[in-house]
């Protein structure tokens, strides 16, 4: 109970939550680590409970409330046969459909395939750092955190040239379907973004049919042409997932990671002098400020956790961000960045179980290349104004990270 005797409860709409959710999550983890929310879902905040549930057999197919509301808006406007971006990708399906969909693209994301991309990633990072050196003062998200993952996934997939500013706005709105929304206007914006991204994706697929190449989009189209491997709607959903997941998350790794290093100057200096720590630093920064803050599942059968039994058909939210700060695993200094932390890799930032992040090797490569080269190129990098957060509950990170290099 709080001082006013109100029960402590998850409230992501509390002012300031999206700028810094950690104090609220800490209170919840300490006082109600497993709790049933009056809105009907359960919330798990401890590392042990989150990791166990990620590996357990629960469903992802029951949509979350936000996706359900968007679906209703779309169906009211365009009918239920309208092309859609949600519900049919691997992320929204249980086995065996999940496994069939994931298998179609697994090869493109193995460690070995991703390692081959390293020279291109280095080149893109260095080009961004050159531009930053010329500018002197800049928004790091706009110059590095966004363009790097966006360019890499666009090239891997072989997507056509596009209006990046418009696309970024649309995907930034679309990903809000992954979090609770209490504003009808925002819901309508998400539904509109979903519609526009679906249309852009269909256009890209049609363009690629005329311009096949050695890329992921061509391979997915071939699987669809094969008939029983991928339906047309699955193709659209799968392309949207890869395109959006390929950049909306890593942007936050680079943005949150840079900010965390600026706020921990000793760790930044350590990283600048020790390239051998690049890999572990990325794990620690993923842990410290997770680019994806939560996930969700639906119970298929009674699920027991901490003496509570959650009934079948109940939505469960997992706080990845809270699990990553759990002192039971990361000790009393869990709220600090320590790039040499021995168990940093035990974070839950890439999820777990069958839906464990397919792009983890790619995200790690992009993160360690960008952050390591950034701190070594600009030893005098400093904050140069107020950070503007993107205001999201789930895929949370800075929208504007003003920095200066001289
Ligand atoms: C799944 C995080 C980068 C593609 C996931 C999940 C998380 C996650 C937490 C599991 C979601 C759940 O179980 O509900 C991240 C983070 C990233 C990142 C923190 C960057 C730092 C990427 C990249 C790609 C990618 C670069 C490349 C396309 C995917 C896909 C899935 C997924 C396809 C679904 C896997 C499945 O359902 O089997 N990611 N991701 N991710 N991620 Fe990532």
């Amino acid at each position: 109970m709080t001082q006013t005797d109100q029960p402590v409860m998850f409230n992501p709409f509390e002012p300031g939550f999206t700028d810094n959710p950690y104090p609220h999550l800490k209170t919840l983890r300490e006082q109600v680590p497993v709790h049933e929310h009056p809105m009907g879902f359960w919330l798990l905040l401890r590392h042990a409970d989150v990791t166990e549930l990620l590996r357990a057999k629960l469903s992802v197919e029951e949509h979350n409330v936000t996706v359900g509301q968007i679906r209703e808006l779309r169906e009211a406007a365009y009918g239920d046969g309208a092309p859609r971006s949600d519900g049919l990708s691997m992320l929204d399906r249980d086995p065996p459909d999940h496994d069939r969909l994931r298998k179609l693209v697994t090869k493109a994301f193995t460690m070995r395939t991703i390692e081959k991309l390293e020279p291109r990633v280095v080149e893109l990072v260095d080009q961004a750092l050159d531009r930053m050196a010329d500018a002197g003062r800049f928004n790091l998200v706009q110059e590095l955190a966004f363009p790097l993952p966006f360019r890499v996934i666009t090239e891997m997939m072989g997507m056509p040239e596009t209006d990046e500013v418009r696309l970024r706005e649309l995907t930034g709105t679309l990903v809000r379907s992954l979090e609770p929304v209490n504003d009808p206007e925002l819901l309508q914006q998400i539904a509109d973004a979903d519609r526009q991204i679906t249309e852009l994706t269909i256009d890209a697929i049609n363009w690629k049919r005329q311009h096949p190449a050695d890329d992921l989009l061509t391979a997915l189209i071939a699987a669809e042409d094969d008939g029983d491997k991928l339906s047309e709607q699955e193709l659209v959903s799968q392309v949207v997932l890869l395109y959006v997941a390929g950049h909306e998350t890593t942007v936050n790794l680079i943005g949150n990671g840079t900010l965390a290093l600026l706020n921990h100057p000793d760790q930044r200096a350590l990283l600048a002098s020790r390239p051998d720590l690049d890999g572990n630093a990325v794990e620690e920064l993923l842990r410290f400020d997770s680019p994806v803050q939560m996930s969700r599942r639906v119970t298929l059968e009674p699920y027991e956790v901490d003496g509570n039994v959650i009934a079948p058909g109940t939505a469960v939210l997992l706080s990845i961000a809270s699990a990553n700060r759990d002192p039971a695993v990361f000790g009393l200094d869990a709220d600090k960045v320590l790039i040499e932390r021995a168990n940093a890799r035990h974070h839950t930032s890439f999820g777990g179980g069958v839906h464990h992040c397919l792009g983890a090797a790619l995200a790690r490569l992009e993160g360690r290349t960008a952050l390591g080269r950034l701190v070594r190129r600009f030893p005098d990098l400093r904050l140069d104004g107020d950070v503007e957060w993107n205001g999201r509950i789930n895929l949370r990170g800075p929208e504007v990270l003003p920095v200066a290099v001289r």
Side-chain angles (χ1 to χ4, degrees):
M1 294 288 205
T2 61
Q3 282 162 346
T4 52
D5 262 7
Q6 290 295 313
V8 179
M9 196 190 298
F10 176 57
N11 180 11
F13 304 114
E14 205 175 80
F17 179 85
T18 51
D19 288 7
N20 180 9
Y22 294 101
H24 184 56
L25 294 178
K26 183 175 184 188
T27 306
L28 293 172
R29 191 176 57 241
E30 286 171 354
Q31 298 189 24
V32 281
V34 175
H35 77 274
E36 186 176 10
H37 198 273
M39 284 175 76
F41 61 84
W42 285 71
L43 178 68
L44 308 190
L45 294 124
R46 287 192 298 223
H47 188 278
D49 297 333
V50 168
T51 46
E52 189 176 326
L53 191 127
L54 281 168
R55 287 192 210 112
K57 204 168 160 239
L58 278 82
S59 178
V60 292
E61 290 193 357
E62 280 304 314
H63 53 71
N64 67 32
V65 178
T66 309
V67 171
Q69 288 165 319
I70 290 159
R71 221 170 263 180
E72 277 169 26
L73 286 174
R74 177 180 53 225
E75 288 175 9
Y78 309 108
D80 62 5
R84 55 195 240 206
S85 68
D86 64 85
L88 292 169
S89 76
M90 68 185 100
L91 186 60
D92 291 324
R93 303 291 284 278
D94 296 336
D97 282 325
H98 164 270
D99 305 354
R100 169 177 56 87
L101 294 167
R102 184 161 170 138
K103 214 170 129 196
L104 290 172
V105 289
T106 308
K107 252 208 266 160
F109 290 95
T110 59
M111 193 99 80
R112 203 186 279 183
T113 320
I114 294 303
E115 269 168 13
K116 292 193 193 125
L117 295 177
E118 185 162 2
R120 178 66 180 142
V121 172
V122 168
E123 183 180 41
L124 287 168
V125 169
D126 286 349
Q127 284 169 358
L129 299 183
D130 287 346
R131 284 194 302 272
M132 285 155 55
D134 288 345
R137 304 171 63 214
F138 45 87
N139 170 8
L140 185 123
V141 177
Q142 194 182 317
E143 297 300 330
L144 176 67
F146 169 73
L148 173 68
F150 182 76
R151 182 64 46 219
V152 172
I153 195 69
T154 303
E155 288 179 6
M156 278 178 81
M157 295 187 73
M159 297 298 271
E161 289 284 321
T162 185
D163 176 347
E164 289 184 15
V165 176
R166 174 172 172 229
L167 191 85
R168 175 137 202 251
E169 244 176 61
L170 290 175
T171 57
T173 305
L174 181 70
V175 294
R176 303 204 62 171
S177 62
L178 300 170
E179 62 189 45
V181 172
N182 67 351
D183 170 5
E185 214 172 290
L186 177 58
L187 270 182
Q188 187 58 55
Q189 286 166 8
I190 302 172
D192 292 343
D194 165 76
R195 175 79 189 164
Q196 290 180 54
I197 289 180
T198 304
E199 281 169 5
L200 285 174
T201 305
I202 293 170
D203 288 348
I205 291 169
N206 289 337
W207 176 85
K208 183 57 59 174
R209 284 191 192 282
Q210 309 303 318
H211 304 88
D214 181 16
D215 56 39
L216 256 177
L217 191 50
T218 306
L220 283 169
I221 290 171
E224 197 250 328
D225 289 344
D226 206 5
D228 53 342
K229 284 196 194 143
L230 193 65
S231 75
E232 196 182 336
Q233 288 230 346
E234 284 172 341
L235 171 64
V236 175
S237 256
Q238 187 95 327
V239 171
V240 173
L241 169 68
L242 293 170
Y243 201 27
V244 176
H247 69 275
E248 278 295 349
T249 46
T250 314
V251 176
N252 297 335
L253 165 60
I254 299 171
N256 295 348
T258 304
L259 182 61
L261 289 170
L262 288 170
N263 288 333
H264 292 76
D266 60 323
Q267 298 299 301
R268 187 181 131 205
L270 181 63
L271 183 61
S273 65
R274 295 270 312 272
D276 60 302
L277 285 176
D278 284 1
N280 206 61
V282 165
E283 302 306 324
E284 174 65 350
L285 295 167
L286 280 163
R287 179 198 73 81
F288 178 75
D289 202 357
S290 187
V292 177
Q293 296 257 309
M294 58 171 72
S295 181
R296 47 107 211 165
R297 295 288 185 271
V298 173
T299 50
L300 291 167
E301 41 196 53
Y303 187 82
E304 204 183 322
V305 51
D306 200 32
N308 303 281
V309 178
I310 306 180
T314 308
V316 187
L317 283 191
L318 314 166
S319 177
I320 289 175
S322 164
N324 285 347
R325 297 280 190 109
D326 189 343
V329 175
F330 300 107
L332 294 176
D333 53 15
D335 288 327
K336 284 194 191 135
V337 171
L338 296 171
I339 62 168
E340 290 179 287
R341 190 185 291 279
N343 68 350
R345 234 185 141 92
H346 292 174
H347 65 73
T348 58
S349 298
F350 288 125
V354 295
H355 295 280
H356 181 269
C357 178
L358 178 75
L362 176 58
R364 287 181 161 124
L365 169 66
E366 293 174 345
R368 69 171 182 265
T369 310
L371 293 166
R373 293 178 91 80
L374 175 74
V375 295
R376 282 188 276 283
R377 173 83 177 257
F378 302 122
D380 50 356
L381 185 79
R382 60 177 196 284
L383 260 186
D384 185 38
D386 293 333
V387 177
E388 284 173 36
W389 293 93
N390 63 15
R392 298 185 207 150
I393 297 167
N394 194 358
L395 270 57
R396 173 186 166 273
E399 184 70 40
V400 179
L401 184 55
V403 290
V405 293
R406 54 178 125 85

